[in-house]
Amino acid sequence: MSNHSLPDFDIEVDIDIDQAPTNNEDIHSSGSSLPDLHIPLPTRRKRWFFLSYSIFLVLYLVFVLVLAYTYPIKPACVIKHFKLPALDNKSPNITQQTNNSVYVAINFINRNPLISYSYDGLIDIAIDYYPLADPKPVSFVSTTTQGFYQHHRNRTKVEVHVVVPDLPRLLLKMKKESFSFFLVNLVFNVRFNCKVSCTRKEPLLMNPAIWYVYVVE
C-alpha cells in the first residue's frame, strides 16, 4: 500500500458578530410574530354562571326575609340616665321629697326590622346598691311602670322618679366613696308581633340586669 499525503487546505470564514442574532432577539422576533390570541368563554358556561348567581341571590334574599318576618330578636335595655338629686351639687334649690328620690331613664330598644313588641302588664324595676366596703348588696328601691307597645326599629325611653325611703342613711356611705355601684333589675313579659308567623308565639319572660357606676362628685 502506498501512503498518500492529504493536501493542506486553508479555509477562511468571515463572520460578522454584530449581525449574528442572539437568543433574546430570536425570542422577541418569534414572539412578535405570534398573533394576540383571546380565547372567549363558552356561551353555555356564561349562561350557567349567571343562572347560578341569580339563584343564589334569590335564595339569600328569601332567607333574609324569612328571618326578618318570623325570627324575632330580643329587646335590649340600656340605662340612659341615673340621677340622685341629693348628690347633685348643680341643683341646690330642690324640695325635700326630690332630695330623697332617684331618677332613672331606661331605653328599651327594638332592633327588629319588621317585628314589633308588646310589653304586657307591668314592668318591674328593682335597684340594688353595692357598697365598696361591704360586698353584701343593699336593697335601694323598687317600683313598677306600665307596659307599652313598641314599633320595629324603635327606641323607647321609660322614666321613673321614685322616693328612696332609706336614702339619708345610705348617703352617709355613698359620700365616703368616689363612685358607687348600682344594679338595676328588670322583669317584664314581651310579646312579638310578627307580620306572618313568629317562631315564638308565647310571651317571653325577661329579667335583664344592668350595672351602673355612679360617680360621686
Side-chain angles (χ1 to χ4, degrees):
M1 296 179 63
S2 60
N3 295 328
H4 299 282
S5 60
L6 296 175
D8 296 332
F9 295 96
D10 294 332
I11 301 174
E12 295 182 0
V13 179
D14 293 334
I15 299 176
D16 191 355
I17 299 177
D18 295 334
Q19 295 179 357
T22 61
N23 292 333
N24 292 333
E25 291 178 351
D26 293 339
I27 294 174
H28 289 298
S29 61
S30 61
S32 60
S33 62
L34 292 176
D36 190 8
L37 299 178
H38 295 283
I39 302 176
L41 192 66
T43 305
R44 180 176 297 180
R45 187 175 299 178
K46 284 184 179 179
R47 291 177 180 175
W48 277 110
F49 173 77
F50 287 112
L51 180 61
S52 302
Y53 179 78
S54 301
I55 293 175
F56 172 78
L57 185 60
V58 170
L59 291 177
Y60 177 76
L61 292 177
V62 171
F63 175 74
V64 171
L65 288 176
V66 169
L67 287 182
Y69 273 98
T70 64
Y71 191 82
I73 304 174
K74 297 179 181 179
C77 301
V78 180
I79 296 178
K80 182 67 175 179
H81 298 292
F82 191 103
K83 295 182 180 180
L84 291 170
L87 296 178
D88 189 2
N89 298 326
K90 299 178 182 179
S91 302
N93 299 324
I94 56 177
T95 63
Q96 184 65 26
Q97 183 178 2
T98 304
N99 193 53
N100 293 334
S101 63
V102 59
Y103 167 76
V104 182
I106 304 172
N107 277 340
F108 287 76
I109 305 171
N110 184 353
R111 298 167 291 175
N112 292 282
L114 297 171
I115 299 175
S116 59
Y117 292 150
S118 292
Y119 297 90
D120 297 337
L122 298 175
I123 300 175
D124 296 329
I125 304 174
I127 304 175
D128 293 330
Y129 165 57
Y130 285 76
L132 294 179
D134 188 2
K136 185 178 179 180
V138 178
S139 179
F140 196 69
V141 71
S142 60
T143 185
T144 59
T145 185
Q146 185 63 42
F148 56 93
Y149 176 84
Q150 188 177 36
H151 292 280
H152 59 274
R153 290 288 186 185
N154 189 268
R155 183 187 297 260
T156 305
K157 183 169 67 173
V158 175
E159 300 174 295
V160 292
H161 198 175
V162 59
V163 175
V164 183
D166 205 19
L167 185 58
R169 184 181 64 85
L170 295 176
L171 286 176
L172 297 177
K173 294 182 179 181
M174 297 175 61
K175 289 181 179 180
K176 297 178 182 179
E177 303 170 346
S178 56
F179 51 87
S180 302
F181 290 94
F182 292 91
L183 183 62
V184 181
N185 296 284
L186 305 176
V187 179
F188 55 86
N189 286 310
V190 58
R191 187 186 301 273
F192 304 106
N193 304 315
C194 301
K195 299 293 184 180
V196 183
S197 177
C198 281
T199 55
R200 176 182 289 275
K201 297 181 180 180
E202 299 297 327
L204 176 64
L205 177 62
M206 294 192 62
N207 184 20
I210 312 170
W211 284 98
Y212 188 84
V213 180
Y214 190 92
V215 180
V216 181
E217 298 180 357

